[in-house]
Amino acid sequence: MNTRLPVYGKAAPKPVDPSLDLEEEIKRLKVEKNAIILAHYYQDSDIQDVADVIGDSLQLAQAAAAAKSDVICFAGVHFMAETAKILNPERIVVVPDMDAGCSLADGCPIDRFRAWKARHPGAVTVSYINCSADVKSESDYIVTSSNAEKIVAAIPKDKKVLFAPDKNLGAFLAKKLGRPMELWQGSCIVHETFSERKLIALKERHPKAKVLAHPECEEVILRMADYVGSTTGILKHAAASPEKEFIVVTEPGILHQMQKAAPDKTFIPAPPEANCACNECPHMKKNSLEKIYLALRDLSPRLEMSADLIAKAKIPIDRMLALS
Ligand code: 13P
Ligand code: SF4
């Protein structure tokens, strides 16, 4: 008896010939469709290796703004692809997996964000790029972890600042700039998983290692860091440093480029609290070479947004790009 029932409302997965050389096929499709692949550092290394640009959120937004191709395939998460579409309304933006979300963006729904803003009339709203296009469209400034300090510092001191949605990045900035801000209570499920106890133990085992951490980590972790910065900041710092050993407190996808940039150095990924792989971003890891191949072959799934939303969300992104 056939026990496989049809699933309604969801298209059946498209078969991929297992004998295909996916890297070669992706290369061919990029030429055929006049497409580029933008990939975040947290992507698997095989995806990074087929990408045209690999970067942090700011570099990927800048690459999207400069794109000349007909098609952009975004190997990252949904809010990043949305930013690429906002900057390229006339180009096709495809995403390998539409379900690749982000705990920060998902934890800041527009109705609650609006209500929060309404409770603080006259405040300047600064939103981390890890938020939905709806939230962007109602923010004064968008920032990434590599330009947030500069942008917040440029806001007149007499203005109250609302910072969403990452409370850890917000608290880090408030402390560094000596400027209190109202913080949205969101966080990254990946960066909150790092364990202070295990990091202390790791430092004891590697006394010469320098700790490099992302500002999405909690304060207890950031206090132990020798350097705090965006993924690109972490990569550049490690490559330029005279030190030879580093504990890396961010998603371990970054290690691929770190090892390429400094093959003579040792990079140790920081462990999560539990015995799990929860320091890997489950959203970023939804993408695969196979899904990238399908997205380029079928030019689907495509990101579509209303012209009105694009126009409104573009304003604070353009402000950010002008200040970066
Ligand atoms: P950056 O690469 O901009 O530092 O951001 C890290 C991140 O968590 C992206 O989702
Ligand atoms: Fe979002 Fe964290 Fe994943 Fe980045 S690592 S996409 S902030 S859940």
Side-chain angles (χ1 to χ4, degrees):
M1 188 178 73
N2 183 3
T3 53
R4 300 183 87 196
L5 297 172
V7 178
Y8 296 105
K10 198 148 192 171
K14 296 160 193 155
V16 173
D17 178 350
S19 68
L20 279 182
D21 179 338
L22 288 176
E23 278 93 347
E24 280 307 312
E25 284 299 305
I26 289 169
K27 251 191 233 166
R28 182 184 65 74
L29 283 167
K30 282 203 289 188
V31 176
E32 188 185 304
K33 311 274 176 162
N34 187 21
I36 55 166
I37 299 175
L38 307 184
H40 189 266
Y41 288 122
Y42 297 163
Q43 293 298 289
D44 281 330
S45 48
D46 56 357
I47 295 179
Q48 294 187 34
D49 291 345
V50 295
D52 298 276
V53 180
I54 313 160
D56 67 3
S57 308
L58 177 62
Q59 288 172 314
L60 294 174
Q62 286 168 328
K68 299 275 180 284
S69 58
D70 295 327
V71 177
I72 297 171
C73 176
F74 210 110
V77 291
H78 194 266
F79 77 80
M80 295 179 172
E82 271 187 342
T83 306
K85 183 67 185 173
I86 291 163
L87 294 166
N88 290 282
E90 73 295 350
R91 296 181 214 284
I92 295 170
V93 176
V94 290
V95 287
D97 191 320
M98 271 294 178
D99 292 334
C102 167
S103 66
L104 279 167
D106 298 344
C108 190
I110 186 63
D111 50 339
R112 281 180 48 214
F113 181 76
R114 272 192 200 123
W116 187 57
K117 274 183 62 177
R119 288 199 296 278
H120 302 279
V124 175
T125 314
V126 180
S127 295
Y128 189 30
I129 198 165
N130 299 38
C131 65
S132 68
D134 286 321
V135 167
K136 287 185 175 78
S137 73
E138 299 200 18
S139 302
D140 295 305
Y141 292 93
I142 296 302
V143 298
T144 75
S145 49
S146 54
N147 58 23
E149 194 180 328
K150 185 174 165 195
I151 293 175
V152 173
I155 298 170
K157 285 272 184 299
D158 60 330
K159 285 280 180 193
K160 181 174 187 172
V161 176
L162 304 186
F163 188 87
D166 188 357
K167 63 176 181 181
N168 293 320
L169 173 61
F172 170 75
L173 292 168
K175 192 173 165 192
K176 195 147 186 212
L177 293 168
R179 176 171 199 161
M181 298 192 285
E182 283 292 325
L183 305 180
W184 182 274
Q185 294 301 301
S187 62
C188 162
I189 45 164
V190 176
H191 289 87
E192 283 219 323
T193 196
F194 294 111
S195 153
E196 181 189 16
R197 182 178 61 86
K198 288 194 178 175
L199 185 54
I200 292 170
L202 198 59
K203 274 183 71 150
E204 273 167 16
R205 288 205 301 282
H206 300 273
K208 288 197 180 144
K210 297 290 169 200
V211 176
L212 313 178
H214 194 280
E216 288 173 17
C217 293
E218 291 174 312
E219 224 243 310
V220 283
I221 299 289
L222 296 180
R223 249 188 268 140
M224 279 191 275
D226 297 289
Y227 173 83
V228 178
S230 77
T231 49
T232 296
I234 288 175
L235 175 63
K236 284 189 177 160
H237 181 88
S241 166
E243 305 292 337
K244 291 283 178 225
E245 205 178 6
F246 301 90
I247 298 172
V248 183
V249 202
T250 189
E251 216 272 2
I254 183 79
L255 296 181
H256 184 53
Q257 296 304 323
M258 294 182 92
Q259 268 145 7
K260 275 193 185 179
D264 58 323
K265 299 186 181 180
T266 305
F267 300 107
I268 307 157
E273 178 61 50
N275 290 324
C276 58
C278 28
N279 56 344
E280 293 198 351
C281 176
H283 302 291
M284 290 278 182
K285 275 10 188 201
K286 276 198 159 76
N287 296 328
S288 64
L289 272 191
E290 188 169 298
K291 288 181 194 173
I292 288 175
Y293 162 73
L294 288 172
L296 287 173
R297 186 191 75 180
D298 303 339
L299 297 184
S300 166
R302 269 185 213 198
L303 210 104
E304 305 289 1
M305 293 161 71
S306 76
D308 183 48
L309 179 58
I310 287 179
K312 286 186 183 145
K314 193 169 181 294
I315 297 167
I317 296 175
D318 281 346
R319 277 187 196 132
M320 171 189 81
L321 291 173
L323 287 166
S324 298

